[in-house]
Amino acid sequence: MSLANSYKRAELEADLPAAPEEITVQEQAKRDKIRSLTTAAFFDAPGNSKGYSPAPRLSFLKQHNLRITFISFTQINISEASVELTYTGTLRFGNTASDKLTLEGTIQLIKTRGTWKVDNDTYNAADISGLLNHPS
């Protein structure tokens, strides 16, 4: 669960960039961190946007840090080589009660050469895209 928590925070949390140029720097740092937490197959899958994090752009758009203020994982399948978890969480992007997004998803972890890695993550990412496309 610690890996899943680290991965979701690496993917979705961001400090408010001071200038638009910092968005690219933050995105690259996030890409490197996400790569280290995921399998190569998941990271490099065609059409997979996990190598890209919308968090720095959303943080800049909302002019606020993005933070996961709550996240809870539940094991639904477990073996020696894999773990499947469901999760719910709250992504905050402001100070008002409405400045939040509920996260809901399923994450798959597998053991590769003795190291746990994220191999799949399905969640309500379209809600985040909606905030980017319709910021108000």
Side-chain angles (χ1 to χ4, degrees):
M1 289 191 205
S2 176
L3 170 65
N5 187 27
S6 294
Y7 168 75
K8 292 310 296 179
R9 290 181 188 282
E11 179 189 22
L12 296 176
E13 290 190 333
D15 292 330
L16 173 62
E21 303 80 44
E22 286 186 20
I23 293 171
T24 304
V25 174
Q26 278 195 30
E27 285 175 339
Q28 183 59 47
K30 286 185 157 302
R31 182 176 170 81
D32 294 343
K33 179 71 174 177
I34 290 168
R35 181 187 306 271
S36 74
L37 298 172
T38 61
T39 63
F42 178 57
F43 186 85
D44 296 329
N48 186 354
S49 62
K50 294 303 176 201
Y52 162 75
S53 171
R57 291 183 190 281
L58 183 58
S59 177
F60 190 74
L61 180 69
K62 295 294 186 179
Q63 287 294 291
H64 203 278
N65 294 335
L66 266 64
R67 294 290 180 259
I68 295 175
T69 57
F70 167 80
I71 194 160
S72 175
F73 297 93
T74 303
Q75 293 180 2
I76 54 174
N77 288 311
I78 187 167
S79 73
E80 286 186 30
S82 68
V83 176
E84 186 176 7
L85 307 168
T86 58
Y87 61 91
T88 59
T90 303
L91 179 65
R92 300 278 319 172
F93 48 85
N95 294 322
T96 68
S98 64
D99 292 337
K100 66 181 178 180
L101 177 70
T102 299
L103 303 170
E104 297 177 321
T106 302
I107 194 166
Q108 179 78 31
L109 311 173
I110 63 169
K111 191 180 270 190
T112 305
R113 292 185 289 249
T115 303
W116 288 97
K117 300 278 185 168
V118 174
D119 192 50
N120 194 20
D121 181 26
T122 306
Y123 68 103
N124 55 320
D127 292 343
I128 294 171
S129 296
L131 290 173
L132 286 168
N133 296 332
H134 307 286
S136 50

